[in-house]
Amino acid sequence: MRKIVIAIDGYSSCGKSTTAKAVAAELGYAYIDTGAMYRGVTLYLLEHAIDFADLPRVEQALHEMQIAFKRNRKTGRNELCLDGVVREDEIRQMRISNLVSEVSGIPAVRHAMVRQQQRMARKRGVVMDGRDIGTTVFPDAEVKVFMTAEVLTRALRRQEELAAKNELVPVEDIVENLRKRDHLDSTRTESPLRRAPDAVLLDTTHMMIDEQVDFVLERVSAKLFALASAGWEPKEIK
């Protein structure tokens, strides 16, 4: 079967990662959580007491750190590894959420992560979610989806995720965090969060995960059929 690149962009806590994971599993594709990569960089900088404004030191850190994904055999999920150690729980903490947009806006960080993401998907057959996948990382992705949802809905979802990890955070604090991140992500100079002109909009405010997954899979099926009819042959991404 011909394999394509599926780019899922959008705001935080819209269900991007959960949907992308399920779509990848259904298709037998690789799943790449680009947001986790930026969270990993943020965690590394914090743990090594590196000032975000110290750009030479940040660039040095990018060469020193090793970011990769390791499949958890028990859960079947890919987990972020920082310097060979799984740090999936730590990168999901609110202290990381409060700073990740600031770190991901640093041009050197953005460039380093984009290069790595493009290498990961050079043979296609991937589902990648983030903020700039369809606009910067893979502007020629065959399927692009842009996800959004009402901020309170997103905050309640995020609160439930945190509570499951024994981190209790008032919903008002999460709403404030989401609005701050939305602003930083949408207004940064380097690869701002925006909907690609050819991305289909998916508002998940009143949708269940199964409905979101079906929505994306329907677009994938239609695209694969159209490409096959046109005699399209996939090429390795360079």
Side-chain angles (χ1 to χ4, degrees):
M1 181 183 292
R2 297 171 177 83
K3 291 188 176 182
I4 62 176
V5 173
I6 302 167
I8 301 180
D9 290 308
Y11 297 96
S12 177
S13 300
C14 288
K16 294 193 308 298
S17 295
T18 305
T19 298
K21 289 175 189 174
V23 169
E26 186 72 23
L27 297 172
Y29 280 21
Y31 164 65
I32 300 173
D33 180 358
T34 65
M37 298 171 71
Y38 291 104
R39 285 174 174 269
V41 174
T42 304
L43 179 62
Y44 185 96
L45 297 180
L46 288 176
E47 291 188 338
H48 289 76
I50 298 173
D51 190 329
F52 301 164
D54 187 348
L55 299 184
R57 184 66 187 92
V58 170
E59 289 193 34
Q60 181 182 346
L62 289 168
H63 290 291
E64 295 170 347
M65 72 178 74
Q66 293 183 354
I67 290 180
F69 289 96
K70 180 179 181 181
R71 187 171 182 79
N72 185 317
R73 293 182 179 179
K74 292 183 178 180
T75 64
R77 296 179 178 179
N78 287 331
E79 298 179 333
L80 183 117
C81 291
L82 190 58
D83 293 337
V85 179
V86 174
R87 306 298 300 275
E88 189 67 25
D89 289 339
E90 293 96 322
I91 66 170
R92 304 298 174 182
Q93 295 173 349
M94 273 298 292
R95 69 185 184 109
I96 303 299
S97 297
N98 287 330
L99 296 170
V100 65
S101 289
E102 183 179 348
V103 171
S104 63
I106 300 172
V109 173
R110 206 87 210 166
H111 295 164
M113 294 301 102
V114 168
R115 285 194 298 270
Q116 186 167 344
Q117 291 154 16
Q118 290 171 334
R119 286 196 299 270
M120 289 176 172
R122 59 188 173 84
K123 293 187 177 181
R124 317 188 92 87
V126 299
V127 183
M128 192 174 292
D129 74 280
R131 302 290 191 279
D132 62 345
I133 310 306
T135 55
T136 300
V137 184
F138 293 110
D140 295 326
E142 287 76 22
V143 171
K144 299 180 185 179
V145 177
F146 188 90
M147 295 176 65
T148 186
E150 294 176 0
V151 69
L152 181 57
T153 299
R154 293 159 54 201
L156 290 171
R157 290 173 180 170
R158 181 65 177 148
Q159 185 183 50
E160 186 176 347
E161 291 173 0
L162 292 169
K165 298 176 181 179
N166 297 318
E167 188 172 1
L168 305 180
V169 182
V171 69
E172 295 83 2
D173 292 352
I174 300 176
V175 167
E176 181 180 356
N177 169 258
L178 291 175
R179 285 177 172 159
K180 177 183 177 182
R181 291 181 64 189
D182 289 349
H183 176 74
L184 290 173
D185 290 341
S186 301
T187 60
R188 66 182 178 226
T189 302
E190 195 70 31
S191 300
L193 168 65
R194 59 184 176 85
R195 178 185 172 188
D198 54 344
V200 61
L201 182 66
L202 175 57
D203 188 328
T204 69
T205 302
H206 303 294
M207 294 179 73
M208 303 295 288
I209 291 297
D210 287 349
E211 295 175 302
Q212 297 170 198
V213 173
D214 288 344
F215 180 95
V216 177
L217 288 174
E218 287 171 6
R219 270 74 191 164
V220 171
S221 295
K223 175 57 70 171
L224 286 171
F225 179 80
L227 291 173
S229 299
W232 175 81
E233 290 295 335
K235 296 181 180 179
E236 185 172 306
I237 298 170
K238 298 181 179 179

